[in-house]
Short mmCIF file of all heavy atoms in Angstrom, two decimals:
data_model
loop_
_atom_site.label_atom_id
_atom_site.label_comp_id
_atom_site.label_asym_id
_atom_site.label_seq_id
_atom_site.Cartn_x
_atom_site.Cartn_y
_atom_site.Cartn_z
N ILE A 1 0.72 -5.72 3.24
CA ILE A 1 -0.33 -4.74 2.83
C ILE A 1 -1.58 -5.51 2.44
O ILE A 1 -2.69 -5.12 2.82
CB ILE A 1 0.14 -3.88 1.66
CG1 ILE A 1 1.32 -3.00 2.09
CG2 ILE A 1 -0.99 -3.00 1.13
CD1 ILE A 1 1.96 -2.18 0.95
N GLN A 2 -1.40 -6.59 1.71
CA GLN A 2 -2.55 -7.40 1.27
C GLN A 2 -3.34 -7.93 2.47
O GLN A 2 -4.58 -7.89 2.49
CB GLN A 2 -2.04 -8.60 0.41
CG GLN A 2 -3.17 -9.47 -0.10
CD GLN A 2 -2.63 -10.74 -0.72
OE1 GLN A 2 -1.61 -11.25 -0.32
NE2 GLN A 2 -3.32 -11.28 -1.73
N ARG A 3 -2.64 -8.40 3.49
CA ARG A 3 -3.27 -8.91 4.72
C ARG A 3 -4.10 -7.81 5.36
O ARG A 3 -5.19 -8.07 5.89
CB ARG A 3 -2.23 -9.46 5.64
CG ARG A 3 -2.77 -10.21 6.83
CD ARG A 3 -1.67 -10.89 7.59
NE ARG A 3 -0.77 -9.93 8.18
CZ ARG A 3 0.44 -10.20 8.65
NH1 ARG A 3 0.90 -11.43 8.53
NH2 ARG A 3 1.20 -9.26 9.18
N ASP A 4 -3.55 -6.62 5.39
CA ASP A 4 -4.26 -5.49 6.02
C ASP A 4 -5.52 -5.11 5.20
O ASP A 4 -6.54 -4.84 5.78
CB ASP A 4 -3.32 -4.27 6.11
CG ASP A 4 -3.82 -3.23 7.07
OD1 ASP A 4 -3.67 -3.41 8.31
OD2 ASP A 4 -4.38 -2.22 6.62
N LEU A 5 -5.36 -5.16 3.91
CA LEU A 5 -6.49 -4.81 3.03
C LEU A 5 -7.65 -5.78 3.17
O LEU A 5 -8.81 -5.42 3.12
CB LEU A 5 -6.05 -4.75 1.58
CG LEU A 5 -5.14 -3.55 1.17
CD1 LEU A 5 -4.67 -3.73 -0.26
CD2 LEU A 5 -5.89 -2.25 1.33
N LEU A 6 -7.33 -7.08 3.34
CA LEU A 6 -8.34 -8.09 3.44
C LEU A 6 -9.21 -7.95 4.69
O LEU A 6 -10.31 -8.50 4.76
CB LEU A 6 -7.67 -9.49 3.43
CG LEU A 6 -7.05 -9.95 2.13
CD1 LEU A 6 -6.33 -11.26 2.26
CD2 LEU A 6 -8.11 -10.06 1.01
N GLN A 7 -8.72 -7.23 5.68
CA GLN A 7 -9.45 -7.05 6.91
C GLN A 7 -10.51 -5.94 6.78
O GLN A 7 -11.34 -5.78 7.66
CB GLN A 7 -8.50 -6.73 8.04
CG GLN A 7 -7.53 -7.85 8.37
CD GLN A 7 -6.49 -7.44 9.42
OE1 GLN A 7 -6.42 -6.27 9.82
NE2 GLN A 7 -5.70 -8.41 9.84
N GLU A 8 -10.45 -5.17 5.69
CA GLU A 8 -11.35 -4.06 5.52
C GLU A 8 -12.54 -4.44 4.64
O GLU A 8 -12.39 -5.07 3.62
CB GLU A 8 -10.60 -2.86 4.92
CG GLU A 8 -9.50 -2.33 5.79
CD GLU A 8 -10.02 -1.75 7.09
OE1 GLU A 8 -11.11 -1.12 7.08
OE2 GLU A 8 -9.35 -1.91 8.11
N LYS A 9 -13.75 -4.02 5.06
CA LYS A 9 -14.93 -4.29 4.25
C LYS A 9 -14.95 -3.42 2.98
O LYS A 9 -15.21 -3.91 1.90
CB LYS A 9 -16.17 -3.98 5.11
CG LYS A 9 -16.34 -5.00 6.25
CD LYS A 9 -17.63 -4.73 7.02
CE LYS A 9 -17.80 -5.69 8.19
NZ LYS A 9 -19.07 -5.44 8.94
N ASP A 10 -14.66 -2.16 3.15
CA ASP A 10 -14.63 -1.23 2.00
C ASP A 10 -13.20 -1.14 1.50
O ASP A 10 -12.47 -0.20 1.75
CB ASP A 10 -15.15 0.13 2.39
CG ASP A 10 -15.34 1.05 1.17
OD1 ASP A 10 -15.04 0.60 0.05
OD2 ASP A 10 -15.72 2.21 1.37
N ARG A 11 -12.77 -2.21 0.79
CA ARG A 11 -11.34 -2.33 0.44
C ARG A 11 -10.91 -1.28 -0.59
O ARG A 11 -9.79 -0.79 -0.52
CB ARG A 11 -11.06 -3.73 -0.14
CG ARG A 11 -11.27 -4.82 0.89
CD ARG A 11 -11.11 -6.21 0.29
NE ARG A 11 -11.55 -7.26 1.19
CZ ARG A 11 -11.66 -8.52 0.84
NH1 ARG A 11 -11.40 -8.90 -0.39
NH2 ARG A 11 -12.09 -9.40 1.72
N ALA A 12 -11.78 -0.94 -1.52
CA ALA A 12 -11.40 0.01 -2.53
C ALA A 12 -11.06 1.37 -1.98
O ALA A 12 -9.99 1.93 -2.24
CB ALA A 12 -12.55 0.14 -3.58
N ALA A 13 -11.98 1.88 -1.14
CA ALA A 13 -11.73 3.20 -0.51
C ALA A 13 -10.53 3.16 0.41
O ALA A 13 -9.67 4.04 0.40
CB ALA A 13 -12.99 3.66 0.24
N TYR A 14 -10.47 2.11 1.25
CA TYR A 14 -9.39 2.01 2.20
C TYR A 14 -8.07 1.83 1.49
O TYR A 14 -7.05 2.40 1.85
CB TYR A 14 -9.62 0.82 3.15
CG TYR A 14 -8.48 0.60 4.13
CD1 TYR A 14 -8.31 1.45 5.20
CD2 TYR A 14 -7.61 -0.47 3.97
CE1 TYR A 14 -7.27 1.24 6.11
CE2 TYR A 14 -6.58 -0.68 4.87
CZ TYR A 14 -6.42 0.18 5.92
OH TYR A 14 -5.37 -0.02 6.82
N GLY A 15 -8.10 1.04 0.37
CA GLY A 15 -6.86 0.78 -0.37
C GLY A 15 -6.31 2.06 -0.95
O GLY A 15 -5.13 2.31 -0.93
N LYS A 16 -7.22 2.85 -1.54
CA LYS A 16 -6.76 4.15 -2.15
C LYS A 16 -6.11 5.02 -1.11
O LYS A 16 -5.05 5.64 -1.30
CB LYS A 16 -7.95 4.85 -2.78
CG LYS A 16 -7.61 6.09 -3.56
CD LYS A 16 -8.81 6.65 -4.24
CE LYS A 16 -8.46 7.89 -5.07
NZ LYS A 16 -9.62 8.48 -5.79
N GLN A 17 -6.71 5.06 0.07
CA GLN A 17 -6.17 5.89 1.15
C GLN A 17 -4.89 5.38 1.70
O GLN A 17 -3.90 6.13 1.85
CB GLN A 17 -7.23 5.95 2.27
CG GLN A 17 -6.73 6.72 3.53
CD GLN A 17 -7.70 6.58 4.71
OE1 GLN A 17 -8.83 6.11 4.52
NE2 GLN A 17 -7.27 7.04 5.88
N ILE A 18 -4.81 4.02 1.90
CA ILE A 18 -3.59 3.46 2.52
C ILE A 18 -2.41 3.52 1.58
O ILE A 18 -1.25 3.76 2.01
CB ILE A 18 -3.88 2.00 3.00
CG1 ILE A 18 -2.74 1.54 3.95
CG2 ILE A 18 -3.96 1.05 1.84
CD1 ILE A 18 -2.67 2.31 5.26
N PHE A 19 -2.64 3.33 0.30
CA PHE A 19 -1.56 3.37 -0.66
C PHE A 19 -0.95 4.79 -0.74
O PHE A 19 0.26 4.98 -0.79
CB PHE A 19 -2.01 2.92 -2.05
CG PHE A 19 -1.98 1.46 -2.23
CD1 PHE A 19 -3.19 0.75 -2.39
CD2 PHE A 19 -0.79 0.75 -2.25
CE1 PHE A 19 -3.15 -0.62 -2.58
CE2 PHE A 19 -0.76 -0.65 -2.42
CZ PHE A 19 -1.98 -1.32 -2.57
N ALA A 20 -1.82 5.80 -0.66
CA ALA A 20 -1.38 7.18 -0.71
C ALA A 20 -0.56 7.51 0.50
O ALA A 20 0.53 8.13 0.44
CB ALA A 20 -2.56 8.13 -0.84
N THR A 21 -1.05 7.08 1.71
CA THR A 21 -0.34 7.35 2.94
C THR A 21 1.01 6.63 3.03
O THR A 21 2.03 7.22 3.37
CB THR A 21 -1.23 6.93 4.15
OG1 THR A 21 -2.48 7.64 4.09
CG2 THR A 21 -0.50 7.22 5.48
N LEU A 22 0.96 5.36 2.72
CA LEU A 22 2.20 4.59 2.78
C LEU A 22 3.25 5.08 1.77
O LEU A 22 4.44 5.17 2.11
CB LEU A 22 1.92 3.09 2.46
CG LEU A 22 1.07 2.32 3.53
CD1 LEU A 22 0.73 0.94 3.03
CD2 LEU A 22 1.80 2.28 4.88
N SER A 23 2.81 5.39 0.58
CA SER A 23 3.73 5.89 -0.44
C SER A 23 4.38 7.21 0.01
O SER A 23 5.62 7.34 -0.12
CB SER A 23 2.98 6.10 -1.76
OG SER A 23 3.80 6.75 -2.70
N ARG A 24 3.58 8.08 0.53
CA ARG A 24 4.16 9.38 0.98
C ARG A 24 5.17 9.20 2.10
O ARG A 24 6.28 9.74 2.05
CB ARG A 24 3.00 10.28 1.44
CG ARG A 24 3.49 11.66 1.90
CD ARG A 24 2.34 12.58 2.25
NE ARG A 24 1.55 12.05 3.37
CZ ARG A 24 0.33 11.49 3.27
NH1 ARG A 24 -0.23 11.40 2.08
NH2 ARG A 24 -0.30 11.04 4.35
N GLU A 25 4.83 8.38 3.12
CA GLU A 25 5.69 8.23 4.30
C GLU A 25 6.96 7.43 3.90
O GLU A 25 8.07 7.81 4.29
CB GLU A 25 4.96 7.51 5.40
CG GLU A 25 3.79 8.26 5.94
CD GLU A 25 4.21 9.56 6.65
OE1 GLU A 25 5.36 9.59 7.18
OE2 GLU A 25 3.43 10.54 6.66
N LEU A 26 6.80 6.34 3.15
CA LEU A 26 7.95 5.51 2.82
C LEU A 26 8.89 6.23 1.83
O LEU A 26 10.10 6.11 1.94
CB LEU A 26 7.50 4.19 2.23
CG LEU A 26 6.75 3.24 3.22
CD1 LEU A 26 6.24 1.99 2.47
CD2 LEU A 26 7.68 2.81 4.35
N SER A 27 8.31 6.97 0.90
CA SER A 27 9.14 7.70 -0.09
C SER A 27 9.97 8.77 0.58
O SER A 27 11.12 9.03 0.21
CB SER A 27 8.26 8.30 -1.16
OG SER A 27 7.62 7.31 -1.93
N GLN A 28 9.38 9.44 1.60
CA GLN A 28 10.15 10.46 2.30
C GLN A 28 11.31 9.87 3.02
O GLN A 28 12.40 10.48 3.11
CB GLN A 28 9.23 11.17 3.30
CG GLN A 28 8.24 12.12 2.62
CD GLN A 28 7.30 12.76 3.67
OE1 GLN A 28 7.33 12.44 4.88
NE2 GLN A 28 6.43 13.69 3.21
N ARG A 29 11.16 8.66 3.54
CA ARG A 29 12.24 8.04 4.34
C ARG A 29 13.20 7.25 3.50
O ARG A 29 14.40 7.28 3.74
CB ARG A 29 11.61 7.16 5.42
CG ARG A 29 12.62 6.57 6.39
CD ARG A 29 11.93 5.77 7.48
NE ARG A 29 12.88 5.19 8.41
CZ ARG A 29 13.36 5.78 9.51
NH1 ARG A 29 12.93 7.01 9.79
NH2 ARG A 29 14.21 5.17 10.28
N TYR A 30 12.66 6.50 2.45
CA TYR A 30 13.52 5.53 1.75
C TYR A 30 13.70 5.83 0.26
O TYR A 30 14.41 5.11 -0.41
CB TYR A 30 12.93 4.12 1.88
CG TYR A 30 12.86 3.69 3.31
CD1 TYR A 30 11.61 3.56 3.96
CD2 TYR A 30 13.99 3.32 4.04
CE1 TYR A 30 11.52 3.17 5.28
CE2 TYR A 30 13.89 2.93 5.36
CZ TYR A 30 12.69 2.84 5.98
OH TYR A 30 12.59 2.44 7.29
N GLY A 31 13.08 6.85 -0.25
CA GLY A 31 13.29 7.21 -1.67
C GLY A 31 12.17 6.79 -2.61
O GLY A 31 11.11 6.30 -2.17
N LYS A 32 12.42 6.97 -3.88
CA LYS A 32 11.33 6.82 -4.90
C LYS A 32 10.98 5.35 -5.20
O LYS A 32 10.05 5.15 -6.01
CB LYS A 32 11.76 7.48 -6.20
CG LYS A 32 13.04 6.89 -6.82
CD LYS A 32 13.43 7.65 -8.06
CE LYS A 32 14.71 7.05 -8.71
NZ LYS A 32 15.06 7.77 -9.94
N GLY A 33 11.60 4.41 -4.60
CA GLY A 33 11.26 3.01 -4.86
C GLY A 33 9.94 2.58 -4.22
O GLY A 33 9.54 1.41 -4.40
N PHE A 34 9.27 3.48 -3.51
CA PHE A 34 8.07 3.12 -2.81
C PHE A 34 6.87 4.02 -3.21
O PHE A 34 6.07 4.42 -2.39
CB PHE A 34 8.27 3.14 -1.33
CG PHE A 34 9.29 2.13 -0.84
CD1 PHE A 34 10.64 2.56 -0.69
CD2 PHE A 34 8.96 0.85 -0.57
CE1 PHE A 34 11.58 1.64 -0.29
CE2 PHE A 34 9.91 -0.09 -0.19
CZ PHE A 34 11.25 0.31 -0.04
N THR A 35 6.80 4.30 -4.50
CA THR A 35 5.66 5.07 -4.99
C THR A 35 4.38 4.21 -4.90
O THR A 35 4.45 3.03 -4.63
CB THR A 35 5.87 5.44 -6.47
OG1 THR A 35 5.97 4.21 -7.25
CG2 THR A 35 7.15 6.24 -6.66
N GLY A 36 3.24 4.86 -5.12
CA GLY A 36 1.98 4.14 -5.07
C GLY A 36 1.94 2.97 -6.05
O GLY A 36 1.50 1.86 -5.70
N SER A 37 2.38 3.22 -7.27
CA SER A 37 2.38 2.15 -8.29
C SER A 37 3.32 1.02 -7.90
O SER A 37 3.03 -0.18 -8.14
CB SER A 37 2.75 2.72 -9.66
OG SER A 37 4.02 3.33 -9.64
N ALA A 38 4.48 1.36 -7.27
CA ALA A 38 5.42 0.34 -6.87
C ALA A 38 4.82 -0.52 -5.76
O ALA A 38 4.96 -1.76 -5.77
CB ALA A 38 6.72 1.00 -6.37
N LEU A 39 4.10 0.09 -4.82
CA LEU A 39 3.44 -0.67 -3.75
C LEU A 39 2.33 -1.59 -4.32
O LEU A 39 2.15 -2.70 -3.87
CB LEU A 39 2.87 0.27 -2.70
CG LEU A 39 3.89 1.07 -1.91
CD1 LEU A 39 3.17 2.02 -0.95
CD2 LEU A 39 4.82 0.14 -1.13
N HIS A 40 1.60 -1.09 -5.32
CA HIS A 40 0.59 -1.91 -6.00
C HIS A 40 1.24 -3.13 -6.64
O HIS A 40 0.70 -4.26 -6.56
CB HIS A 40 -0.14 -1.10 -7.07
CG HIS A 40 -1.28 -0.29 -6.55
ND1 HIS A 40 -2.48 -0.86 -6.16
CD2 HIS A 40 -1.41 1.05 -6.35
CE1 HIS A 40 -3.29 0.08 -5.75
NE2 HIS A 40 -2.68 1.26 -5.84
N ARG A 41 2.41 -2.96 -7.25
CA ARG A 41 3.10 -4.12 -7.86
C ARG A 41 3.54 -5.13 -6.78
O ARG A 41 3.54 -6.32 -7.02
CB ARG A 41 4.30 -3.62 -8.67
CG ARG A 41 3.91 -2.93 -9.98
CD ARG A 41 5.11 -2.75 -10.91
NE ARG A 41 6.04 -1.78 -10.37
CZ ARG A 41 6.03 -0.46 -10.67
NH1 ARG A 41 5.08 -0.01 -11.47
NH2 ARG A 41 6.93 0.36 -10.15
N MET A 42 3.93 -4.63 -5.61
CA MET A 42 4.38 -5.54 -4.55
C MET A 42 3.18 -6.35 -4.07
O MET A 42 3.32 -7.57 -3.79
CB MET A 42 4.96 -4.76 -3.43
CG MET A 42 6.28 -4.04 -3.75
SD MET A 42 6.91 -3.06 -2.40
CE MET A 42 8.07 -1.97 -3.31
N VAL A 43 2.01 -5.71 -3.94
CA VAL A 43 0.82 -6.44 -3.54
C VAL A 43 0.46 -7.49 -4.60
O VAL A 43 0.09 -8.63 -4.29
CB VAL A 43 -0.35 -5.47 -3.30
CG1 VAL A 43 -1.66 -6.26 -3.09
CG2 VAL A 43 -0.06 -4.57 -2.10
N LYS A 44 0.52 -7.09 -5.87
CA LYS A 44 0.28 -8.03 -6.96
C LYS A 44 1.23 -9.20 -6.93
O LYS A 44 0.85 -10.35 -7.16
CB LYS A 44 0.38 -7.30 -8.31
CG LYS A 44 0.18 -8.14 -9.53
CD LYS A 44 -1.27 -8.50 -9.70
CE LYS A 44 -1.50 -9.17 -11.06
NZ LYS A 44 -2.92 -9.59 -11.26
N PHE A 45 2.47 -8.90 -6.60
CA PHE A 45 3.53 -9.94 -6.48
C PHE A 45 3.12 -10.96 -5.44
O PHE A 45 3.19 -12.20 -5.67
CB PHE A 45 4.83 -9.27 -6.10
CG PHE A 45 6.03 -10.16 -6.02
CD1 PHE A 45 6.13 -11.31 -6.74
CD2 PHE A 45 7.05 -9.83 -5.12
CE1 PHE A 45 7.25 -12.15 -6.68
CE2 PHE A 45 8.18 -10.66 -5.00
CZ PHE A 45 8.29 -11.81 -5.79
N ALA A 46 2.65 -10.51 -4.25
CA ALA A 46 2.25 -11.43 -3.21
C ALA A 46 1.00 -12.20 -3.58
O ALA A 46 0.83 -13.36 -3.16
CB ALA A 46 2.01 -10.66 -1.91
N GLU A 47 0.13 -11.59 -4.38
CA GLU A 47 -1.10 -12.25 -4.80
C GLU A 47 -0.85 -13.40 -5.77
O GLU A 47 -1.40 -14.47 -5.64
CB GLU A 47 -2.06 -11.25 -5.42
CG GLU A 47 -2.68 -10.26 -4.45
CD GLU A 47 -3.50 -9.24 -5.14
OE1 GLU A 47 -3.50 -9.17 -6.41
OE2 GLU A 47 -4.26 -8.48 -4.45
#
């Protein structure tokens, strides 16, 4: 996710959108372990 975000000029707006989309799709398929806040922690982990 971090690598994808770095490619965007407007990272804040894109980040807000991508986290919401990813969280919704992943949570539907894999459960509550992929909420928006959880994905933010994973990005922080990689950073």
Side-chain angles (χ1 to χ4, degrees):
I1 296 175
Q2 181 189 32
R3 189 172 64 196
D4 197 78
L5 289 174
L6 290 175
Q7 295 174 355
E8 296 297 323
K9 293 182 179 180
D10 189 0
R11 296 176 191 170
Y14 178 73
K16 186 175 182 180
Q17 175 187 350
I18 194 65
F19 276 113
T21 302
L22 292 175
S23 173
R24 182 176 62 254
E25 296 295 332
L26 292 175
S27 295
Q28 287 178 355
R29 184 177 180 89
Y30 299 108
K32 61 182 181 180
F34 297 94
T35 62
S37 58
L39 294 177
H40 275 287
R41 286 193 291 268
M42 294 176 198
V43 172
K44 179 73 171 178
F45 183 29
E47 288 177 350

